[in-house]
Amino acid sequence: MVLKLTAVPAMASLLRAAAPGLFSWRGYCSRGLQGELSKGFVESLKAIVGSPHVSTAVAVREHHGQDESIHRCQPPDAVVWPQNVDQVSRLAALCYGQGVPIIPFGTGTGLEGGVCAVQGGVCINLTHMDRITELNTEDFSVVVEPGVTRKALNAHLRNSGLWFTVDPGADASICGMVATGASGTNSVRYGTIRDNVVNLEVVLPDGRLLHTAGQGRHFRKSAAGYNLTGLFVGSEGTLGLITSATLRLHPVPEATVAATCAFPSVQAAVDSTVQILQAAVPVARIEFLDDVTMDACNRHSKLSCAVAPTLFLEFHGSEQALAEQVQHTEAITQQNGASHFSWAKESEERNQLWAARHNAWYALLALSPGCKGYSTDVCVPISRLPEILVQTKEELKTSGLQGGIVGHVGDGNFHCILLVNPDDDEEHHRVRAFTKKLGRRALALHGTCTGEHGIGLGKRQLLQEEIGAVGMETMRQLKVMLDPRSLMNPGKVL
């Protein structure tokens, strides 16, 4: 049943009255029947953002129809680059009024097919909105537009004595990180993006502007009403377009030291992780890399680490506090058979170490040129981490699949990075089967099917198994309330 224009919001009605007969979009039925953008509609997009900022070229659309996942490219019908929030609002109202799907786009570094235009529509690329609009050093907060990346933000903060701690492997856009619920290596001490967002500016599907915590507010805590900010963190573009984020910053630590240590087995490495956390050592980063990943990182990043299950660690604090943390950690790891313990105190050496960790995805892909990567993303309670990691390593060995394991083990979160021949359907099937089995094992251990990448296209069934029928229905009701025409990034999450 085609959606009727009687449901068009007021703003869209005004747009149509101002340009009668301009649009010929046929709308979408519940089965995803796709229409085509008319020339008049494309001209209306250009009228809002300017002709240079609209493209219907095939190559451009295909670039915007896929991320770094194995999900096949599904291009939008047009791509637009707004320059400010007013243009985003007008674009949303135009698209929503004519029943055209809207797909937000940041840097395209997602891993769950979140930018695939499964019903066509208009991709709104927000990278031209890249200003850091406000820095409150005394309040430890900053306001950024959606095109600002994490590296650009920390470069801007370099002389402020503050830094933004959330660091997914890719140089992702900040608001893209908000949309996917990202985290990274620092989350064991500083929290995930969910813990570091204070306020959001969101363009709702019909073009209205929402400030989730009130315009301009950047308080440390609040008990005022529902947590609207939290609603949009991890919403994956299905509820609105995030056009600004107010973020929590942290003081740069007085001193920092990093280390690597190798272990005789996966069990020994993960047991050390659990014991370090149980001993209340305030570790800032604690990352696991298996032997396959270490071999790949040695080759790709020119390291000389032992090819064995390995922990990367980092500690922040005063010189005196670091000495105590290092001594305690080294004792715990040695009790579990650690060897090749190597400390890195100079910033250049530490940066090389963490660059290698962040590039583990690309290091593993380099093992098999031409293959695509797929990353699992389960997270379990810390006490169950040794059990699931050891089982998963054994199953990966016997599966016939190529790949390695990395993990933010301080959070109970780890990834199997699997290498997949894009032309091998049988291998795709085995990867999907392995992924679902691992996701269900995590759920059985009271964990989650996604610690940080999101649901996207491939984990909708696992989400239903995770939160249950009532949880799914509640999510659907929220979606219907904010997006009654289901045009915001359709086909994702629900």
Side-chain angles (χ1 to χ4, degrees), residues 76-276:
D77 297 298
V79 181
V80 296
W81 288 263
Q83 311 301 301
N84 54 57
V85 65
D86 178 65
Q87 289 183 356
V88 176
S89 181
R90 291 165 63 196
L91 287 168
L94 173 65
C95 292
Y96 209 75
Q98 298 304 314
V100 179
I102 302 165
I103 304 95
F105 189 95
T107 56
T109 54
L111 296 170
E112 296 296 341
V115 299
C116 296
V118 296
Q119 295 180 3
V122 173
C123 173
I124 298 183
N125 182 318
L126 297 162
T127 54
H128 287 192
M129 297 171 61
D130 59 358
R131 296 182 306 148
I132 298 169
T133 58
E134 186 178 344
L135 174 61
N136 302 294
T137 55
E138 294 180 350
D139 294 328
F140 301 92
S141 70
V142 67
V143 183
V144 301
E145 289 186 331
V148 176
T149 67
R150 66 175 183 89
K151 290 183 180 179
L153 175 56
N154 277 322
H156 181 83
L157 296 171
R158 185 170 292 133
N159 297 318
S160 70
L162 301 172
W163 66 311
F164 179 64
T165 58
V166 187
D167 65 334
D171 187 22
S173 64
I174 298 291
C175 290
M177 290 162 59
V178 174
T180 56
S183 58
T185 63
N186 289 302
S187 60
V188 65
R189 177 158 180 172
Y190 299 99
T192 70
I193 192 77
R194 199 175 291 274
D195 305 302
N196 288 281
V197 177
V198 177
N199 198 354
L200 295 173
E201 178 187 79
V202 180
V203 172
L204 296 176
D206 61 4
R208 291 176 297 156
L209 192 62
L210 168 68
H211 296 272
T212 58
Q215 188 168 1
R217 305 197 186 281
H218 53 275
F219 38 67
R220 294 289 293 181
K221 66 178 184 178
S222 171
Y226 300 142
N227 185 358
L228 295 179
T229 303
L231 177 63
F232 286 91
V233 177
S235 60
E236 302 187 43
T238 63
L239 301 178
L241 297 116
I242 300 171
T243 52
S244 179
T246 304
L247 307 168
R248 180 170 291 122
L249 302 176
H250 297 266
V252 174
E254 175 189 328
T256 302
V257 63
T260 62
C261 52
F263 290 85
S265 66
V266 172
Q267 182 82 46
V270 187
D271 282 346
S272 293
T273 300
V274 174
Q275 291 165 21
I276 289 167

Side-chain angles (χ1 to χ4, degrees), residues 253-329:
E254 175 189 328
T256 302
V257 63
T260 62
C261 52
F263 290 85
S265 66
V266 172
Q267 182 82 46
V270 187
D271 282 346
S272 293
T273 300
V274 174
Q275 291 165 21
I276 289 167
L277 296 173
Q278 289 174 338
V281 178
V283 61
R285 291 167 156 173
I286 183 163
E287 298 284 304
F288 171 79
L289 296 84
D290 73 351
D291 55 336
V292 175
T293 307
M294 282 309 310
D295 185 37
C297 287
N298 282 342
R299 299 184 192 188
H300 185 77
S301 298
K302 306 297 186 281
L303 298 181
S304 55
C305 295
V307 178
T310 300
L311 290 182
F312 283 24
L313 305 104
E314 189 166 276
F315 304 91
H316 298 167
S318 66
E319 294 285 355
Q320 181 179 353
L322 288 187
E324 294 175 353
Q325 293 171 31
V326 166
Q327 183 180 14
H328 201 168
T329 300

Side-chain angles (χ1 to χ4, degrees), residues 17 46 61 66 119 141 143 283 350 382 391 403 469:
K46 293 178 179 178
R61 292 190 295 111
Q66 59 186 335
Q119 295 180 3
S141 70
V143 183
V283 61
R350 294 197 318 271
I382 293 294
Q391 289 179 346

